[in-house]
Amino acid sequence: MANTRSKPGARQVPSQELERLRAELAESEETLRAIRSGEVDALVVSTAQGEQVYTLKGADEAYRILLEELTEGALTISADGIILYANTSFANFTRTPLEKIIGSRFEDLVQAADRDSYFSLLSHGRSARARGMIRLSAGDGSTVPALLSVSALPAESASTWCIVATDMTDQIKSQEALQKANEELELKVRQRTENLAKANEELARSNSELQSFAYVASHDLREPLRTISGFLELLQMDYGDKLDQKSKDYISRAVNASTRLHEMIDDLLSYSRLETRKRVFTRVDLNGVCQAALNDLNRAIEENGAKIEVKTLPTVMADELQIPIVFRNLIDNAIKFHDKTVPEIVISATRDESEWLISVKDNGIGIDPVNQRKIFEMFKRLHSRDEYPGSGIGLAMCKKIVERHGGRIWVKSSIGNGSIFFFTLPSNLA
Ligand code: ADP
């Protein structure tokens, strides 16, 4: 009794019983060791029907060692469902000691709700390998999701099934985490799409409001302006000789300002018409468009002695009434914005994946990079009308038209080094 200590409250075990329990434990440990190392070929299991002997055929040590090394659970099961062999991995992931597993029924480890699936796996496993997910009850009361792969062993084998069980806890956790992340992502995308759709709606609404405002304003402004110009003309005609020089000068300035206002209203009207026009795209040969623009600008070309080289241009899907405005404005500017040098202009096109890149290059005065975005805004000019005539609407019109065609427009330039205006147009002709 020297090595038997009793704790307060602990059950006092008679020494003979303790000895018997120790011997039984030593015996079962030895049996387990012998089964796992392949030293025994048979196992006697006490059941309600009495003791049953299970022979362990194929108890080959090499295979047993291999099975012990597996990270998956490996088991052999008798025809009546008794676990004859289980490896340490299975004991580890079911958190149940091996001595409790071996000799027990596998179905007792399977959670009640999954038992039918387990039996169906066994019956399918008779003819071919059967796989399925089963929830096992672990020794600590937790649930272990396991993928079972069930195969039948040869008919004469005492162990009828071989089961490989994979612990799916981590995979399921990461699957769940992935699914959650996916759901969160989907939710975010949905929210963003909704926001974007709302913002688009808002933009479309305010755009159309702006369009109709510009149209109505420019249309309705013309009438009173015409009246002002008319009375100014009458004043000049009827009282011209009675007025002094100062008054004449005032009237002349008022006439100029009203003419200018008239032009601006016309420009504004043309600009707002670009958007209100229905999108009708047809095949348009840009060689013809460019030639027509050059014909229109013939006087300016001759006056400035401009040399213009036109390379081969493509046929594109475009609005045949709007695309000529782009060519006319860009060529007009290329002729206009030069100092003493004779204008030399090259118009060309290159294909770049899904679009055409069209360029109008000149050797004129150039544009400071800080102003290169500004010039595409309405009525933005970098020079006085005395230096270079114009209204400042041309490039804004070009931008609107190119964008309506799904393209972009920009300029590459620096002061004194000429400019190249680029714009893109989709190259598909469908
Ligand atoms: P406009 O030609 O009537 O002034 P645009 O909208 O066509 O109006 O051009 C806006 C401004 O951009 C011009 O006033 C000019 O300052 C500048 N610009 C346009 N094209 C050129 C060019 N080829 N070279 C230099 N400056 C240019």
Side-chain angles (χ1 to χ4, degrees):
M1 294 292 285
N3 55 355
T4 312
R5 279 192 219 131
S6 59
K7 285 188 195 159
R11 187 167 72 94
Q12 285 292 325
V13 180
S15 61
Q16 292 114 312
E17 197 186 335
L18 199 64
E19 280 312 312
R20 193 184 55 73
L21 284 173
R22 274 211 189 106
E24 254 181 35
L25 186 63
E27 195 188 333
S28 40
E29 276 174 353
E30 174 54 22
T31 311
L32 263 175
R33 191 200 57 73
I35 292 170
R36 290 165 69 198
S37 65
E39 284 167 31
V40 295
D41 285 325
L43 175 70
V44 180
V45 176
S46 297
T47 66
Q49 291 77 38
E51 289 192 332
Q52 293 207 13
V53 178
Y54 296 95
T55 54
L56 303 175
K57 205 172 168 199
D60 177 49
E61 196 181 356
Y63 285 121
R64 284 168 193 270
I65 291 170
L66 199 63
L67 290 175
E68 280 305 311
E69 292 300 317
L70 279 183
T71 47
E72 266 88 14
L75 309 102
T76 53
I77 306 242
S78 71
D80 47 1
I82 303 279
I83 301 172
L84 301 177
Y85 169 78
N87 66 356
T88 315
S89 295
F90 186 74
N92 288 345
F93 80 67
T94 52
R95 295 177 279 285
T96 309
L98 261 184
E99 45 276 33
K100 229 175 136 185
I101 294 173
I102 292 178
S104 68
R105 286 179 175 283
F106 192 92
E107 71 216 51
D108 292 340
L109 290 174
V110 176
Q111 293 200 341
D114 287 359
R115 272 193 200 132
D116 284 348
S117 314
Y118 164 66
F119 289 129
S120 137
L121 273 180
L122 286 191
S123 86
H124 281 104
R126 259 193 205 111
S127 47
R129 183 187 297 161
R131 278 165 161 256
M133 283 290 294
I134 296 288
R135 280 162 298 175
L136 300 175
S137 299
D140 58 4
S142 63
T143 299
V144 180
L147 177 68
L148 298 195
S149 173
V150 180
S151 326
L153 289 166
E156 69 276 14
S157 171
S159 26
T160 308
W161 283 285
C162 168
I163 296 184
V164 175
T166 310
D167 180 3
M168 300 299 283
T169 312
D170 289 345
Q171 278 99 318
I172 284 177
K173 263 191 202 148
S174 43
Q175 247 173 23
E176 281 170 359
L178 198 69
Q179 198 178 337
K180 197 165 161 242
N182 267 347
E183 281 168 7
E184 281 171 6
L185 203 68
E186 260 175 38
L187 189 73
K188 271 189 194 158
V189 171
R190 219 176 306 134
Q191 279 168 349
R192 293 258 161 89
T193 317
E194 274 169 22
N195 290 348
L196 205 65
K198 263 191 212 145
N200 269 346
E201 244 172 58
E202 195 65 14
L203 198 69
R205 198 179 49 76
S206 71
N207 255 351
S208 88
E209 272 174 13
L210 206 65
Q211 290 305 331
S212 46
F213 168 78
Y215 188 82
V216 169
S218 47
H219 216 256
D220 294 356
L221 282 175
R222 286 174 134 184
E223 199 45 49
L225 186 62
R226 233 178 257 134
T227 313
I228 295 171
S229 313
F231 279 114
L232 284 172
E233 269 173 37
L234 283 177
L235 208 57
Q236 271 178 331
M237 277 195 307
D238 297 354
Y239 298 93
D241 44 354
K242 298 184 188 86
L243 294 170
D244 62 8
Q245 195 48 45
K246 209 170 182 185
S247 314
K248 280 185 193 166
D249 188 39
Y250 286 163
I251 293 172
S252 148
R253 284 204 212 174
V255 169
N256 285 347
S258 71
T259 311
R260 169 91 195 97
L261 192 55
H262 219 97
E263 283 168 8
M264 283 177 85
I265 289 171
D266 280 350
D267 286 345
L268 207 57
L269 202 57
S270 315
Y271 183 84
S272 63
R273 274 196 192 121
L274 290 179
E275 198 57 49
T276 44
R277 184 176 146 77
K278 230 177 114 202
R279 254 173 244 249
V280 186
F281 290 179
T282 52
R283 278 169 178 254
V284 179
D285 176 7
L286 296 183
N287 297 293
V289 169
C290 189
Q291 203 45 56
L294 294 178
N295 292 345
D296 287 352
L297 296 166
N298 195 31
R299 216 173 123 193
I301 295 172
E302 280 181 1
E303 276 173 11
N304 290 281
K307 291 179 194 151
I308 302 180
E309 184 187 351
V310 184
K311 305 251 170 97
T312 308
L313 300 175
T315 292
V316 293
M317 288 304 284
D319 182 326
E320 60 178 355
L321 294 183
Q322 291 190 347
I323 217 73
I325 300 173
V326 178
F327 277 84
R328 216 165 30 236
N329 273 305
L330 294 181
I331 301 170
D332 187 21
N333 284 348
I335 299 169
K336 184 165 63 174
F337 292 103
H338 72 100
D339 40 28
K340 289 174 191 77
T341 50
V342 171
E344 286 181 11
I345 299 160
V346 182
I347 302 154
S348 57
T350 51
R351 198 182 178 142
D352 175 17
E353 286 182 17
S354 60
E355 54 189 19
W356 282 104
L357 179 67
I358 295 145
S359 63
V360 178
K361 179 174 182 277
D362 66 50
N363 60 342
I365 56 173
I367 303 159
D368 188 338
V370 293
N371 292 320
Q372 285 174 10
R373 285 172 81 92
K374 208 158 87 179
I375 55 170
F376 292 97
E377 290 170 23
M378 237 193 280
F379 302 128
K380 287 278 158 54
R381 309 195 72 235
L382 305 177
H383 308 276
S384 72
R385 287 155 63 83
D386 295 336
E387 275 179 287
Y388 296 100
S391 64
I393 195 79
L395 288 180
M397 301 256 291
C398 292
K399 184 167 187 283
K400 167 79 55 191
I401 294 169
V402 168
E403 285 175 356
R404 267 170 68 83
H405 284 74
R408 292 157 287 130
I409 185 165
W410 69 99
V411 65
K412 208 170 141 194
S413 178
S414 61
I415 297 278
N417 293 312
S419 310
I420 314 177
F421 279 82
F422 294 100
F423 65 97
T424 63
L425 290 175
S427 61
N428 60 323
L429 287 171

